Amino acid sequence: MNVVVGITGGIAAYKAVNVVRGLVLAGHDVHVVATDAALRFVGRPTLEAISRNPVYSELYEGVAEVRHVAIGQAAELIVVAPATANTIAKLASGLADDLLGNTILASNAPLIIAPAMHTEMWQNPATVANVATLRSRGVRFVGPAIGQLTGSDSGPGRMAEPDEIVAAALTAVGRQDLVGRRILITAGGTREPLDPVRFIGNRSSGKQGVAIARAAAARGGEVTLIVANLDDGVLSGLSSTVSVQQVSTTRELQEAALLAAGTAELIVMAAAVADYRPETVAAGKIKKETQGDTLELRLVRNPDILHELTDSRHDGQVIVGFAAETEPDRDALLVLGAAKAARKGVDYLVVNRVGWNETFGSDDNTVIVLDATGRNVAEANGTKASIADRILDVVL
Ligand code: CTP
């Protein structure tokens, strides 16, 4: 989705960076329109790096492409964060004396405003009237929150937290087709300790599973996300409505997943689960002096969590498994997938190819979704965010 983030001149502008980041991570094409005052609080290079697009602020630049209306016409959603009292007053009056004003006036997209100002300004009758005017025109407000303001004062006026703004913005435009649905998602890769400092693990970053959690939450789902050893930053900007539990080993994941599965209507097992664990875990660090030139590890089978979940499935519960395979031949991959779907007893199996340089840690993915009978019901290629939505569409 094409999203415009308008940033105006308040100290909370530095927090707007995380609003931009959250929207980008959710898979959106984000264009920042900043006022001159905003650029005194946060640098253009920061906003360009995070949004991955040029930042526009000048009304008289890009005139040949009629930029002052083009940005607003292309926008599917506009978020103004932070919005100062001055900007809110201008928007209520329909003023267009800067690029942001023109962009908003030229747009039919839903408008979300996250105000940030001192309490006296927020409670001033002028601001109260302006907010009421904008609300009556369908503009949605997120916050302000009550708390510490820039000076020594505190009260209503603090900008809402970035993840709250992102969630509200996506809710305003998104399909709300998972409202009230209880969804359990696992992500990341389990690790099995050898001794207090070493483990056997896998290369799953957790990005695809977390993308499914983001998408399900944006569509109104009540999401429980069990994560094992995610790469740094994968959870950043995740809506606070998602309940996150951290585990590390397969048996910890098993315990958490079986417990959470009781009330879940949809389970998505995106985690890469260690099939084996060391039979014994050394109490102290394994030392070369005692091991000599070779070290033999004896591994024992871990429980198959997905199998246990499908065995204890309750009525109406839909269970989705993943299969990361290195098989290069497409037909052979589909045969492997169909056999795995049947063996695991899942309703859907998301098959993706992995390799030394494929998929792990990447923002993109290519998947084939099979149903319980092994029939190919969907194929998708793109960002992990877009694939997350596609998987949820299939399940719905
Ligand atoms: N899975 C699980 N418990 C395990 C192993 C896997 O719940 N001990 C789940 C994964 O989360 C995934 C699906 O089963 O959703 C398939 O995982 P995969 O590793 O591809 O399958 P395996 O059963 O381990 O088969 P393989 O021998 O191909 O590794």
Side-chain angles (χ1 to χ4, degrees):
M1 184 166 48
N2 179 319
V3 185
V4 168
V5 176
I7 305 182
T8 74
I11 183 67
Y14 80 93
K15 289 207 274 178
V17 174
N18 280 333
V19 174
V20 174
R21 183 171 160 73
L23 290 163
V24 170
L25 284 175
H28 301 291
D29 183 22
V30 180
H31 300 268
V32 172
V33 176
T35 63
D36 289 339
L39 293 175
R40 290 172 177 243
F41 289 98
V42 57
R44 186 186 292 268
T46 306
L47 294 167
E48 294 196 337
I50 300 293
S51 70
R52 305 174 189 172
N53 276 315
V55 168
Y56 298 120
S57 58
E58 294 299 324
L59 194 49
Y60 295 103
E61 270 175 18
V63 175
E65 62 195 64
V66 204
R67 190 178 290 159
H68 70 292
V69 288
I71 301 172
Q73 286 168 340
E76 294 166 86
L77 168 69
I78 301 181
V79 182
V80 183
T84 58
N86 181 51
T87 296
I88 289 172
K90 290 204 293 184
L91 294 179
S93 308
L95 287 179
D97 61 351
D98 59 9
L99 186 61
L100 182 60
N102 278 270
T103 298
I104 292 172
L105 213 52
S107 176
N108 293 320
L111 176 59
I112 312 291
I113 291 183
M117 63 196 75
H118 287 275
T119 304
E120 294 79 357
M121 292 177 162
W122 176 246
Q123 291 175 342
N124 186 290
T127 307
V128 171
N130 290 331
V131 169
T133 301
L134 289 169
R135 279 207 171 107
S136 72
R137 293 182 196 146
V139 174
R140 272 163 275 218
F141 282 78
V142 193
I146 300 171
Q148 183 73 49
L149 302 172
T150 319
S152 55
D153 50 344
S154 74
R158 204 181 143 84
M159 190 175 83
E161 287 308 313
D163 62 355
E164 202 186 321
I165 297 170
V166 171
L170 295 180
T171 302
V173 284
R175 289 159 290 174
Q176 290 296 290
D177 47 10
L178 289 172
V179 174
R181 299 287 189 179
R182 288 181 300 273
I183 301 167
L184 168 63
I185 297 161
T186 67
T190 61
R191 290 178 180 173
E192 300 296 345
L194 297 171
D195 69 16
V197 294
R198 303 183 179 97
F199 58 83
I200 296 177
N202 62 67
R203 290 176 53 208
S204 174
S205 63
K207 283 186 180 174
Q208 185 63 76
V210 173
I212 298 170
R214 284 183 207 282
R219 290 164 73 157
E222 291 173 20
V223 181
T224 298
L225 174 64
I226 307 178
V227 296
N229 312 299
L230 299 181
D231 278 7
D232 284 349
V234 172
L235 280 184
S236 81
L238 184 73
S239 161
S240 51
T241 61
V242 176
S243 150
V244 181
Q245 296 176 34
Q246 314 253 3
V247 297
S248 186
T249 67
T250 296
R251 284 186 297 175
E252 287 166 10
L253 177 60
Q254 176 196 29
E255 193 184 334
L258 290 178
L259 196 67
T263 54
E265 294 163 88
L266 167 63
I267 301 174
V268 182
M269 273 294 290
V273 183
D275 287 318
Y276 295 90
R277 66 177 182 277
E279 189 169 40
T280 53
V281 179
K285 192 178 169 194
I286 300 172
K287 303 293 275 182
K288 288 190 288 297
E289 299 87 84
T290 43
Q291 291 303 323
D293 286 343
T294 58
L295 166 61
E296 263 179 46
L297 290 176
R298 190 175 160 80
L299 306 177
V300 293
R301 277 287 281 271
N302 263 331
D304 188 323
I305 305 169
L306 185 55
H307 214 288
E308 290 181 10
L309 289 169
T310 57
D311 270 352
S312 57
R313 172 202 270 112
H314 61 68
D315 271 357
Q317 192 173 52
V318 176
I319 303 184
V320 180
F322 267 69
E325 305 285 358
T326 50
E327 172 57 57
D329 179 70
R330 182 189 156 92
D331 290 340
L333 180 72
L334 292 176
V335 171
L336 274 178
K340 192 169 282 188
R343 192 166 70 241
K344 299 267 183 178
V346 290
D347 299 292
Y348 296 99
L349 189 75
V350 181
V351 182
N352 66 334
R353 202 155 23 219
V354 291
W356 294 109
N357 301 310
E358 268 177 290
T359 308
F360 291 121
S362 162
D363 289 331
D364 298 316
N365 203 355
T366 302
V367 304
I368 303 172
V369 185
L370 306 180
D371 69 9
T373 66
R375 195 168 57 96
N376 177 348
V377 289
E379 295 194 30
N381 168 260
T383 61
K384 287 182 174 171
S386 69
I387 286 179
D389 270 316
R390 189 83 179 92
I391 292 169
L392 292 172
D393 291 344
V394 169
V395 167
L396 270 165

